[in-house]
């Protein structure tokens, strides 16, 4: 990693002095590559391989009743992955304000980004050793890697206002998102080749899965070098506050300030609820497909590839719908589709990959659009001059508080022994989220935030 100077920041958050337009574009190109680096973890590890594989390892270690006993606690083997995801998000919630405050206090985001990225990459690479009955190792590595990617994304997103002006921020953000989907799809294709042809490579099925898991960590670590070489830290004025105290104080201050904008807070609550459902469906779909529907890993990989491709088309299509019907109505429509997806998933026949592909297509068409429109709608509800702190709270909702859905999914399976009951239990998040969102008068909320009200919203 090359040594680079630390620049001062102007009032807009963009660097002054040496950071002219050319150097800013260089930073932007480097910034895109962190999404390119870490998105492979989200697709290959969290969405496709680790859920079914960790579940199989836990089942191999389970007693005759199908339970494992981490720390002496009886846990149904099929619930272990969901519980580990939930714990990892709780860990991230605790760590994110501390790390965010340290970054704000010192201006040294890059070393913290490097630490979070390489801890996560190392934990993911270590999944190569997840074999036999090592379910505790798998759960521990999942918690570390998942918390690390959440923390690193907070630091990564915090660079956006510093490397892009208001007029170019949407375009820069979209390119980073596109880079992430591109790398996720590309590596999944490589995974598909390795997994389906493991015999010709002289590998067992377990070996192929463990190589796919570990390679995601190597990819994450290798491509993280690009943003670490190109991004620069900015000097800040020390305020003398400790990182832990200032982090939680800032978060509490932002939430108190939101009380003076109750309609903005109401939207954030609605988003927190339905986004928890979205994130849980994505993380648990492979477990449901493999354990309940009896689908093989090849089907799951190709289904996720289908989601990756259609998510882009769905985001563009829902964007057009929003221009006609408004973002709120379009999001509410997408939540109806999410609910129908879960109901259809409950009745999905076993060992019927065609129906699973249809369901994956529906997920792809609403996934990107519902998240993109939620972010753009929230941007209208943020008071001028408070964008950074409000979007920090939004990021906490997006990545830091999505622990309840996996917990509900795990508990439903723990109590019933049925993944169908577990998947249908997630309907509550979309129903409650829809009701909360429908009650938000968004035009009034935009005006209350002091922003111009768009013609369609």
């Amino acid at each position: 990693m090359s040594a680079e100077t630390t620049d001062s920041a102007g009032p807009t958050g963009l660097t002054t002095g040496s950071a002219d337009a050319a150097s800013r574009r260089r930073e932007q190109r480097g910034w895109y590559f962190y999404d390119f680096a870490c998105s492979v973890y989200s697709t290959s590890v969290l969405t496709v391989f680790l859920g079914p594989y960790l579940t199989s390892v836990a089942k191999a270690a389970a007693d005759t009743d199908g339970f494992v006993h981490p720390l002496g606690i009886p846990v149904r083997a099929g619930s272990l992955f969901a519980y580990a995801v939930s714990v990892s998000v709780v860990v991230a919630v605790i760590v994110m304000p501390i790390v965010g405050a340290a970054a704000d206090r010192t201006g040294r985001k890059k070393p913290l980004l490097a630490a979070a990225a390489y801890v996560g990459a190392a934990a993911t690479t270590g999944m190569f050793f997840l074999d036999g009955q090592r379910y505790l190792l798998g759960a521990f590595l999942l918690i570390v890697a998942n918390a690390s990617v959440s923390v690193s994304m907070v630091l990564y997103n915090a660079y956006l206002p510093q490397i892009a002006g208001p007029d170019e921020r949407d375009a820069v953000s979209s390119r980073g998102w596109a880079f992430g989907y591109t790398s996720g799809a590309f590596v999944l294709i490589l995974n598909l080749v390795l997994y389906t042809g493991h015999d010709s490579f002289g590998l067992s099925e377990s070996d192929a899965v463990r190589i796919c898991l570990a390679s995601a960590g190597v990819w994450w670590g290798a491509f993280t070098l690009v943003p670490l070489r190109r991004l620069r830290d900015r000097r800040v004025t020390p305020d003398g506050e400790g990182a832990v105290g200032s982090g939680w104080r800032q978060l509490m201050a932002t939430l108190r300030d939101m009380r003076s904008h109750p309609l903005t807070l109401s939207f954030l609550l609605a988003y927190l609820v339905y986004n928890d459902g979205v994130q849980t469906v994505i993380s648990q779909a492979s477990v449901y497909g493999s354990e309940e529907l009896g689908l093989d890993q090849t089907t799951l990989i190709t289904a996720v590839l289908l989601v990756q491709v259609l998510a882009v088309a769905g985001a563009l299509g829902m964007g057009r719908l929003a221009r006609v019907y408004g973002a709120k109505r379009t999001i509410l429509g997408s939540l109806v589709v999410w609910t129908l997806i879960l109901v259809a998933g409950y009745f999905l026949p076993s060992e019927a990959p065609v129906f699973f592909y249809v369901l994956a297509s529906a997920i792809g068409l609403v996934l990107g659009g519902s998240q993109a429109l939620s972010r753009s709608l929230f941007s209208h509800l943020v008071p001028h001059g408070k964008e950074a702190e409000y979007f920090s709270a939004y990021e906490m909702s997006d990545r830091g508080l999505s622990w309840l859905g996996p917990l509900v999914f795990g508990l439903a399976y723990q109590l019933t022994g049925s993944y169908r009951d577990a998947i249908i239990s997630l309907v509550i998040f979309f129903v409650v989220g829809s009701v909360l969102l429908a009650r938000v008068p968004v035009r009034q909320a935009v005006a209350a935030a002091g922003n111009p009200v768009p013609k369609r919203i």
Side-chain angles (χ1 to χ4, degrees), residues 194-208 211:
L194 178 63
Y195 180 81
T196 56
H198 61 81
D199 286 334
S200 61
F201 291 109
L203 300 171
S204 67
E205 182 178 337
S206 173
D207 290 338
I211 289 172

Side-chain angles (χ1 to χ4, degrees), residues 4 12 34 42 76 115 128 165 181 183 198 206 209 219 222-223 241 286 297 327 330 354 358 362 414:
E4 297 188 34
T12 63
Y34 189 68
S42 299
R76 195 181 289 272
F128 178 79
Y181 270 94
S183 71
H198 61 81
S206 173
V209 170
W219 181 283
F223 284 100
E241 293 193 58
S286 289
Q297 199 74 59
T330 306
V354 173
V358 172
Q414 174 101 359

